[in-house]
Amino acid sequence: YWTDKTVAAGNDSNKLEEKEVGPGEGIATLAIVLVNKAQSDISAIKGYLSLPDEFEAVKPENTTNNISFSPDDNISNISVASYDSIVEPGEQFTLYFDIYIEKEAKVGSYYRYLDLACSKVLTAGDITVEDIPVSFRIPGKEILDVETKNQYLSPTKINKVGINIINKGSADAHNAIITISNDAANVEGS
């Protein structure tokens, strides 16, 4: 899921809520929830997510740590996240990837591989790397705007006004509630 923060908040997932993102969003944080299926505690967890061309990794320098990626991966476009606590067997943990969503991104699903590197707590120096298939979705956003058909209104008369509601966003709008009010307190007369 995509979160409500523009920069990942480390391991503290209580501060994050889901948000809709669309093409051209800019920097957004993708949260990937995983489960430790190993029979032992794991730590020193790092995730390397290869991104499609419509996305750009937001990352600090020198983050690949000599991990070998599959030949299809674009090494320059790998987003990196880490989890800094010990994870017990069966326990969930979340990796947060800061990603720049380009204008060329399309609404829909994307399928990539997450290279997960970690070490077992009781096995010193033994690093395990797994390729995990992941999918994420760009749901798009609804951006509703109002347009009136007639631009001139006659004073002191009842005027019929045609109003169009236009969705300028990248996702379908559902269950929209439109309220039109006449707030006399905001009308000034001279």
Side-chain angles (χ1 to χ4, degrees), residues 20 140-148 163-180:
E20 292 181 340
K141 284 184 162 182
E142 305 91 14
I143 302 172
L144 299 180
D145 198 3
V146 177
E147 178 182 275
T148 58
I163 297 174
N164 291 329
I165 308 296
I166 302 166
N167 182 359
K168 294 183 176 180
S170 55
D172 293 340
H174 300 279
N175 301 323
I177 298 173
I178 309 298
T179 304
I180 300 173

Side-chain angles (χ1 to χ4, degrees), residues 81-156:
S82 62
Y83 190 83
D84 299 325
S85 298
I86 294 174
V87 181
E88 296 176 2
E91 190 175 57
Q92 282 188 349
F93 62 99
T94 305
L95 294 176
Y96 298 99
F97 296 90
D98 292 327
I99 298 171
Y100 186 87
I101 304 172
E102 304 276 352
K103 289 182 216 171
E104 297 78 25
K106 303 275 189 261
V107 171
S109 296
Y110 292 85
Y111 300 94
R112 303 307 284 178
Y113 279 93
L114 169 66
D115 288 332
L116 187 68
C118 62
S119 66
K120 294 181 181 176
V121 172
L122 299 176
T123 311
D126 187 19
I127 296 177
T128 304
V129 177
E130 293 189 36
D131 283 337
I132 301 169
V134 294
S135 66
F136 58 93
R137 181 168 174 67
I138 300 295
K141 284 184 162 182
E142 305 91 14
I143 302 172
L144 299 180
D145 198 3
V146 177
E147 178 182 275
T148 58
K149 288 185 178 180
N150 47 337
Q151 297 178 3
Y152 302 102
L153 302 176
S154 300
T156 68

